[in-house]
Amino acid sequence: MEFTFSKEQELIQKVAQEFAENSIGPVAKQIDAESQIPEDILKGLAELDLMGIPFPEQYGGANGGYDGYVLALEQIAKISSGVGVAIAASSLGLGAISKYGTEEQRQKYLTPVCKGQQLASFAFTEPGTGSDPGQLTSTAVRDGDFFVINGTKRFISNAGYPGPIVVFARETENGKVSAFLLEKLCEGYSCSEPWEKIGYHGAQVLDVYLKDVRIPVQNKLGNTGQGFEILLFGIALGKIGTSTIALGGILAALNEAVQYAKEKTHRGQAIGLKFQAIQLKLADLKIKYETARLLCYRLGCLANNIKDPVQFAAEAALAKAYCGDSAVDAARLAVDIHGSYGVVRDYTVERIYRDAIIGTEIEGVSDVQRVIVASSLLK
Ligand SMILES: Cc1cc2nc3c(=O)[nH]c(=O)nc-3n(C[C@H](O)[C@H](O)[C@H](O)COP(=O)(O)OP(=O)(O)OC[C@H]3O[C@@H](n4cnc5c(N)ncnc54)[C@H](O)[C@@H]3O)c2cc1C
């Protein structure tokens, strides 16, 4: 058991922390208000190799492992969940391509994303299904050396940016669900306006309309009928991102709460020193942060060497359930410590709370995570 960082891990965390605090920090309010990530932020992240941390150098990645990814993403999400979600959603698509793609697919699709020229997407949700992807209705019709893809995908992160998108569709020829690689913005690909959501501003989600999109048969990801396996594996890796974004939110809530408890005074004394009730809340925040931190760092280490994908999926579900729910609780505690100031736009905890309550509803809602954990206990 090892609880210290390597030199590389320290470096990756420091680089991300400095960029997050010095470059994203000054525009974090603007990102929240305008729901748009400035181009120079994405460019700056790419220049520091923060857009493809876990992926091999030969595909433009930083080869920093999922443990390095967690350390960096925590620092970025601490400052802006929106920027964190854009990175995590892109890494979700890349994780599936990295594991199931051919050498040619990896070269073609991982490299421009890792280098920050594109953002990847991963599309399983449809208007008729979210937690139960078995109900998906998108179709892939074989036409000679091509597949023709039709369907609507809902709430797809990064869908408006150029880059690869992993799409799940049922092959009409055999009824099996397979995964396909499309170039976003290709002919037949169109998007809705971004959904207006309560938080994670900057990270945009759009509906994707696929109308007779023709792709060569070589663009199938993995084998025929391997769609659900790719979906479950990809989402399990994706939960490293969603758990870590929640972790960043808990850290932000803790920092804001401690600072406010030291600054705000009642009858000349800081509320953190005067009221034990405030101290109890601060202690709860710290306990939640340290527990979530251990779960996320451990999940990142486990992801570097997955031996049993089903067991890994249960570990990822456990981390996501705890971190997601704790981020909501932590944000609520931090708002409470701020009193009425906690619910006005001028104070950061208001945004932290709005962001936190999304985390439990994506990539599998919290109860579905518990179902996955329970089934791993009962098999
Ligand atoms: C910001 C954001 C980003 C997103 N990004 C993407 C993306 O990039 N790609 C993508 O494909 N999707 C994405 N989504 C969609 C998201 O992952 C799904 O909406 C999510 O999985 C939940 O599905 P649902 O909304 O259909 O909920 P439902 O499945 O309809 O769930 C509704 C309720 O039923 C309960 N429920 C459902 N099934 C069970 C069960 N088996 N046991 C117990 N209770 C159950 C749930 O707990 C919940 O309370 C995104 C959504 C958001 C908000």
Side-chain angles (χ1 to χ4, degrees), residues 188-200:
Y189 179 103
S190 60
C191 297
S192 67
E193 287 297 306
W195 284 85
E196 284 187 29
K197 41 189 174 41
I198 190 166
Y200 283 178

Side-chain angles (χ1 to χ4, degrees), residues 148-203:
V148 181
I149 315 278
N150 277 286
T152 299
K153 296 292 178 183
R154 173 137 296 167
F155 298 146
I156 305 306
S157 300
N158 298 336
Y161 289 94
I165 179 167
V166 179
V167 168
F168 296 88
R170 198 175 295 280
E171 293 192 37
T172 51
E173 204 176 26
N174 48 41
K176 293 181 175 165
V177 172
S178 302
F180 299 90
L181 278 165
L182 275 61
E183 300 267 3
K184 287 178 280 183
L185 319 183
C186 67
E187 202 181 328
Y189 179 103
S190 60
C191 297
S192 67
E193 287 297 306
W195 284 85
E196 284 187 29
K197 41 189 174 41
I198 190 166
Y200 283 178
H201 291 167

Side-chain angles (χ1 to χ4, degrees), residues 30-51:
Q30 178 196 324
I31 293 172
D32 185 49
E34 297 174 4
S35 204
Q36 188 77 41
I37 302 171
E39 247 177 57
D40 58 331
I41 294 296
L42 292 173
K43 212 165 143 236
L45 287 162
E47 277 164 8
L48 293 169
D49 281 340
L50 295 171
M51 294 306 285

Side-chain angles (χ1 to χ4, degrees), residues 344-366:
V344 294
R345 285 277 150 102
D346 305 54
Y347 284 76
T348 308
V349 283
E350 179 265 352
R351 174 179 59 74
I352 294 170
Y353 189 54
R354 283 188 287 110
D355 287 343
I357 60 178
I358 298 190
T360 54
E361 310 304 332
I362 62 170
E363 270 184 18
V365 295
S366 283

Side-chain angles (χ1 to χ4, degrees), residues 102-122:
T102 60
E103 181 54 29
E104 204 186 348
Q105 288 171 338
R106 286 195 203 120
Q107 283 289 352
K108 183 170 175 191
Y109 295 110
L110 290 187
T111 310
V113 180
C114 289
K115 288 190 172 165
Q117 296 149 358
Q118 301 180 339
L119 285 174
S121 297
F122 187 87

